[in-house]
Short mmCIF file of all heavy atoms in Angstrom, two decimals:
data_model
loop_
_atom_site.label_atom_id
_atom_site.label_comp_id
_atom_site.label_asym_id
_atom_site.label_seq_id
_atom_site.Cartn_x
_atom_site.Cartn_y
_atom_site.Cartn_z
N GLU A 14 54.39 114.93 5.73
CA GLU A 14 53.52 114.13 6.58
C GLU A 14 52.99 112.90 5.83
O GLU A 14 52.91 111.81 6.39
CB GLU A 14 52.34 114.96 7.11
CG GLU A 14 52.72 116.00 8.14
CD GLU A 14 53.26 117.27 7.50
OE1 GLU A 14 52.99 117.50 6.30
OE2 GLU A 14 53.96 118.01 8.20
N LYS A 20 55.55 105.70 5.14
CA LYS A 20 56.70 104.97 5.70
C LYS A 20 56.26 104.13 6.89
O LYS A 20 56.66 102.96 7.04
CB LYS A 20 57.79 105.94 6.11
CG LYS A 20 59.00 105.28 6.68
CD LYS A 20 60.04 106.29 7.10
CE LYS A 20 61.20 105.54 7.70
NZ LYS A 20 61.58 106.03 8.99
N ASP A 24 56.39 100.09 7.26
CA ASP A 24 57.07 99.46 8.39
C ASP A 24 56.18 98.44 9.08
O ASP A 24 56.64 97.36 9.48
CB ASP A 24 57.52 100.52 9.40
CG ASP A 24 58.72 101.32 8.93
OD1 ASP A 24 59.42 100.85 7.99
OD2 ASP A 24 58.97 102.42 9.48
N GLU A 25 54.89 98.76 9.23
CA GLU A 25 53.95 97.82 9.84
C GLU A 25 53.80 96.55 9.00
O GLU A 25 53.80 95.44 9.52
CB GLU A 25 52.59 98.48 10.04
CG GLU A 25 52.56 99.54 11.11
CD GLU A 25 51.24 100.28 11.17
OE1 GLU A 25 50.28 99.84 10.49
OE2 GLU A 25 51.16 101.29 11.89
N LEU A 37 56.94 80.68 10.90
CA LEU A 37 57.12 79.53 10.02
C LEU A 37 58.50 78.90 10.20
O LEU A 37 58.64 77.67 10.15
CB LEU A 37 56.92 79.96 8.56
CG LEU A 37 55.50 80.34 8.18
CD1 LEU A 37 55.46 80.91 6.76
CD2 LEU A 37 54.57 79.15 8.30
N THR A 42 61.95 74.39 12.21
CA THR A 42 63.11 73.92 12.96
C THR A 42 62.75 73.12 14.19
O THR A 42 63.55 72.31 14.65
CB THR A 42 64.01 75.10 13.36
OG1 THR A 42 63.24 76.05 14.10
CG2 THR A 42 64.59 75.77 12.13
N GLU A 44 60.45 70.87 14.39
CA GLU A 44 59.81 69.61 14.03
C GLU A 44 60.60 68.41 14.55
O GLU A 44 60.02 67.40 14.95
CB GLU A 44 59.67 69.53 12.51
CG GLU A 44 58.83 68.38 12.05
CD GLU A 44 58.59 68.46 10.56
OE1 GLU A 44 58.14 69.50 10.08
OE2 GLU A 44 58.85 67.45 9.89
N GLU A 47 59.88 67.20 18.22
CA GLU A 47 58.60 66.57 18.51
C GLU A 47 58.54 65.11 18.07
O GLU A 47 57.53 64.46 18.23
CB GLU A 47 57.49 67.37 17.83
CG GLU A 47 57.38 68.80 18.34
CD GLU A 47 56.42 69.62 17.51
OE1 GLU A 47 55.81 69.08 16.58
OE2 GLU A 47 56.30 70.81 17.80
N MET A 48 59.62 64.58 17.50
CA MET A 48 59.63 63.20 17.03
C MET A 48 59.73 62.23 18.21
O MET A 48 60.42 62.50 19.18
CB MET A 48 60.81 62.96 16.10
CG MET A 48 60.75 63.69 14.79
SD MET A 48 62.22 63.34 13.86
CE MET A 48 61.54 62.99 12.28
N GLU A 52 60.60 57.31 15.66
CA GLU A 52 60.76 58.13 14.47
C GLU A 52 62.19 58.62 14.31
O GLU A 52 62.71 58.70 13.20
CB GLU A 52 59.80 59.31 14.51
CG GLU A 52 58.35 58.92 14.37
CD GLU A 52 57.40 60.07 14.62
OE1 GLU A 52 57.80 61.03 15.33
OE2 GLU A 52 56.28 60.02 14.11
N THR A 55 64.24 55.74 13.00
CA THR A 55 63.93 55.55 11.58
C THR A 55 64.64 56.59 10.73
O THR A 55 65.17 56.28 9.66
CB THR A 55 62.41 55.64 11.36
OG1 THR A 55 61.76 54.68 12.19
CG2 THR A 55 62.05 55.40 9.92
N LYS A 56 64.68 57.83 11.22
CA LYS A 56 65.35 58.90 10.48
C LYS A 56 66.84 58.60 10.35
O LYS A 56 67.42 58.73 9.26
CB LYS A 56 65.15 60.24 11.19
CG LYS A 56 65.80 61.41 10.48
CD LYS A 56 65.55 62.71 11.21
CE LYS A 56 66.49 62.81 12.38
NZ LYS A 56 66.49 64.12 13.02
N LYS A 59 67.42 55.85 7.86
CA LYS A 59 67.23 56.38 6.50
C LYS A 59 68.48 57.14 6.05
O LYS A 59 68.94 56.96 4.92
CB LYS A 59 66.01 57.29 6.47
CG LYS A 59 65.71 57.86 5.10
CD LYS A 59 64.45 58.69 5.09
CE LYS A 59 64.72 60.01 5.75
NZ LYS A 59 63.64 60.99 5.63
N MET A 68 77.86 55.98 -1.30
CA MET A 68 79.19 55.36 -1.35
C MET A 68 79.22 54.25 -2.40
O MET A 68 80.21 54.10 -3.13
CB MET A 68 79.59 54.81 0.02
CG MET A 68 79.80 55.89 1.06
SD MET A 68 81.05 57.09 0.59
CE MET A 68 82.50 56.08 0.62
N MET A 69 78.16 53.47 -2.51
CA MET A 69 78.12 52.43 -3.53
C MET A 69 78.09 53.03 -4.94
O MET A 69 78.72 52.50 -5.86
CB MET A 69 76.89 51.52 -3.32
CG MET A 69 76.96 50.67 -2.07
SD MET A 69 78.46 49.68 -1.94
CE MET A 69 78.30 48.61 -3.33
N LEU A 70 77.40 54.13 -5.12
CA LEU A 70 77.39 54.80 -6.41
C LEU A 70 78.79 55.27 -6.78
O LEU A 70 79.25 55.06 -7.91
CB LEU A 70 76.42 55.99 -6.39
CG LEU A 70 76.41 56.86 -7.64
CD1 LEU A 70 75.85 56.08 -8.82
CD2 LEU A 70 75.60 58.12 -7.40
N LYS A 75 83.70 54.65 -9.92
CA LYS A 75 85.15 54.52 -9.90
C LYS A 75 85.57 53.26 -10.64
O LYS A 75 86.53 53.24 -11.41
CB LYS A 75 85.67 54.49 -8.47
CG LYS A 75 87.17 54.43 -8.36
CD LYS A 75 87.60 54.48 -6.91
CE LYS A 75 89.10 54.45 -6.82
NZ LYS A 75 89.63 53.11 -6.83
N SER A 77 83.90 51.74 -13.01
CA SER A 77 83.60 51.87 -14.44
C SER A 77 84.58 52.79 -15.16
O SER A 77 84.98 52.51 -16.29
CB SER A 77 82.20 52.42 -14.63
OG SER A 77 81.25 51.53 -14.13
N SER A 80 88.83 56.02 -12.33
CA SER A 80 89.17 57.01 -11.31
C SER A 80 87.99 57.97 -11.19
O SER A 80 87.26 58.20 -12.15
CB SER A 80 90.43 57.78 -11.71
OG SER A 80 90.62 58.88 -10.83
#
Side-chain angles (χ1 to χ4, degrees):
E14 289 82 20
K20 180 181 178 231
D24 286 342
E25 290 174 9
L37 291 173
T42 56
E44 189 173 308
E47 297 172 3
M48 292 178 134
E52 291 172 335
T55 304
K56 181 179 79 170
K59 181 176 75 171
M68 294 302 293
M69 292 306 297
L70 175 67
K75 183 177 181 274
S77 297
S80 171

